[in-house]
């Protein structure tokens, strides 16, 4: 797992970016504001219980926002 803020910083996001859109393999999408995404508890996960994340849990990569109800 990695904090989303660290990932975003490594990409060098454009200053003034307010939102990010995440699109799932089934076409479902969500837009999140950068203030929420940069919270220290927001993570990107690719493993669960020591194994690769299974498709039913969002493989290959899942955005985890623990203080918000997820889909």
């Amino acid at each position: 797992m990695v904090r989303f803020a660290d990932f975003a910083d490594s990409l060098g996001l454009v200053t003034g970016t307010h939102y990010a859109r995440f699109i799932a393999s089934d076409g479902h999408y969500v837009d999140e504001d950068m203030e929420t995404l940069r919270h220290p508890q927001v993570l990107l996960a690719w493993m669960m219980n020591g194994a690769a994340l299974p498709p039913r849990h969002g493989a290959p990569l899942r955005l985890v926002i623990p203080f918000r109800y997820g889909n």
Side-chain angles (χ1 to χ4, degrees):
M1 289 190 290
V2 65
R3 289 185 327 152
F4 180 84
D6 294 338
F7 173 73
D9 290 343
S10 74
L11 291 177
L13 294 181
V14 175
T15 303
T17 301
H18 299 285
Y19 292 90
R21 175 168 283 183
F22 298 89
I23 304 172
S25 60
D26 64 1
H28 179 80
Y29 70 91
V30 63
D31 295 329
E32 288 291 342
D33 64 281
M34 291 305 290
E35 183 178 349
T36 297
L37 292 171
R38 288 189 169 279
H39 188 282
Q41 292 179 332
V42 176
L43 305 171
L44 292 171
W46 56 89
M47 295 186 78
M48 185 170 92
N49 299 323
L53 197 62
R56 72 174 191 261
H57 289 290
L61 187 66
R62 183 175 185 140
L63 176 68
V64 180
I65 305 175
F67 47 86
R68 176 154 319 144
Y69 179 79
N71 293 326

